[in-house]
Amino acid sequence: MEQYRLVPRISAEEVEKQVSDLASRINRDYEGKSLVVVGVLNGACIFLSDLVRRLSVPVEIDFVRLSSYGKGAETSGKIKITKDVELPIEGRHVLIIEDIVDTGTTLVWFLDYLQQRQPESVKICALVDKLERREIEVPLDYVGIRVDKGFLVGYGLDFAEKHRNLPGIHEVEFMK
Ligand code: IMP
Ligand code: MG
């Protein structure tokens, strides 16, 4: 088992403030419209739960599960759907909710997949935009927190399925 420790990066209070600001922007932008929010499992579960409770526009909620990462911190590069979106999205305004964007591969693939179902619009809301390893440009419409690098856990983000339940965001520091 790899040895590591967790270093606090973004407090629960700061996360809450960012989620609240994102919700205000979304409420303004979608005024008079209704939304289908699609959370990317498992990471976006906590972010989505907090975000939707601050939305005042009518919302329907669905989830998708995409497998791209293995058990650790390295990407496998391959993406497949293991749980698809079940709500009809043709002609609807769709907002994808993602925990963190790293290389960008997952979201670019999923965006293209959703577009084929002819929604009225698709936008992306990501809690964390991690810049250093971006390989492909992703049109991010709403971003809560920008970080340069580091492997983060907490507030839905995991390392080998652990630490999703932490209320704030921490960085995994591997011991040499
Ligand atoms: P991408 O396709 O490289 O952008 O990978 C995005 C996915 O990788 C995210 O939805 C996360 O599930 C996972 N991921 C990337 N970076 C981190 C991180 O720092 N902590 C936890 N999960 C991460
Ligand atoms: Mg994810």
Side-chain angles (χ1 to χ4, degrees):
M1 190 62 200
E2 218 163 356
Q3 296 275 318
Y4 64 91
R5 62 186 185 118
L6 302 183
V7 183
R9 280 286 292 268
I10 301 141
S11 69
E13 292 71 29
E14 181 60 21
V15 172
E16 190 185 341
K17 185 188 171 299
Q18 295 306 328
V19 173
S20 174
D21 288 355
L22 285 173
S24 304
R25 285 182 51 204
I26 294 166
N27 285 330
R28 269 200 308 276
D29 293 355
Y30 288 92
E31 206 187 325
K33 296 174 182 150
S34 68
L35 259 181
V36 179
V37 300
V38 176
V40 183
L41 291 171
N42 294 338
C45 63
I46 292 170
F47 175 39
L48 181 144
S49 310
D50 283 347
L51 185 76
V52 293
R53 281 179 287 180
R54 295 176 185 275
L55 295 182
S56 49
V57 293
V59 165
E60 287 164 48
I61 300 171
D62 205 348
F63 293 95
V64 67
R65 190 191 301 267
L66 306 165
S67 73
S68 61
Y69 268 55
K71 285 204 184 108
E74 289 305 307
T75 179
S76 70
K78 282 192 218 119
I79 295 152
K80 68 172 198 248
I81 294 199
T82 58
K83 186 245 169 275
D84 206 343
V85 179
E86 291 162 64
L87 289 174
I89 60 162
E90 188 179 335
R92 303 295 309 273
H93 294 288
V94 177
L95 184 61
I96 301 170
I97 311 291
E98 174 67 301
D99 53 357
I100 183 166
V101 186
D102 186 12
T103 64
T105 323
T106 312
L107 270 186
V108 165
W109 185 91
F110 184 54
L111 194 58
D112 182 60
Y113 177 83
L114 279 190
Q115 299 280 15
Q116 291 166 27
R117 295 195 191 172
Q118 301 177 323
E120 172 75 25
S121 71
V122 190
K123 287 190 179 179
I124 300 173
C125 175
L127 179 67
V128 183
D129 182 10
K130 187 164 79 176
L131 303 162
E132 194 190 34
R133 304 205 305 169
R134 189 66 35 86
E135 285 170 14
I136 179 162
E137 202 187 312
V138 196
L140 298 179
D141 301 282
Y142 304 97
V143 171
I145 296 154
R146 284 196 177 79
V147 298
D148 196 39
K149 58 184 176 187
F151 199 84
L152 306 177
V153 295
Y155 200 75
L157 295 158
D158 74 304
F159 176 51
E161 295 305 325
K162 292 187 191 71
H163 314 302
R164 291 194 199 274
N165 58 314
L166 293 170
I169 296 180
H170 303 251
E171 182 168 349
V172 177
E173 201 179 270
F174 296 96
M175 311 292 195
K176 290 192 181 89

